[in-house]
Amino acid sequence: MSLALILASFWIVASAFTAMLPYRMQFPPGIALLILSVPLLVFIGISHGFIWVALFLFAVGSMFRNPLIYFAKRLTRRTV
């Protein structure tokens, strides 16, 4: 397995542990995971191509679905 997929696996395990934390303690590791997901997506894309990026993007979206929905609603209300 390549380094990119090993790092992605560690990211997924870390996000699962973060999801198990109490809600107020999820913010610092959650922000770190969100920031780390961007360079990891690029690294996976360079190493393996679009299919693996799409799979990892699905994992990121699953972890951050509520904040992403919140920001999407906020952006659409500001443009209207």
Side-chain angles (χ1 to χ4, degrees):
M1 191 183 297
S2 71
L3 178 62
L5 295 181
I6 291 171
L7 291 174
S9 299
F10 283 136
W11 187 95
I12 291 170
V13 170
S15 68
F17 282 124
T18 301
M20 287 188 250
L21 292 172
Y23 185 70
R24 68 179 190 280
M25 295 178 68
Q26 289 179 358
F27 290 107
I31 291 170
L33 286 169
L34 184 61
I35 291 169
L36 287 174
S37 68
V38 175
L40 191 54
L41 277 167
V42 172
F43 186 38
I44 292 170
I46 291 169
S47 300
H48 295 285
F50 178 73
I51 299 297
W52 288 100
V53 170
L55 288 173
F56 187 69
L57 193 58
F58 179 75
V60 171
S62 175
M63 174 69 180
F64 295 103
R65 66 181 168 270
N66 289 332
L68 291 173
I69 290 170
Y70 170 77
F71 286 121
K73 286 181 180 179
R74 190 170 176 183
L75 284 173
T76 55
R77 274 192 239 147
R78 286 193 179 196
T79 58
V80 174

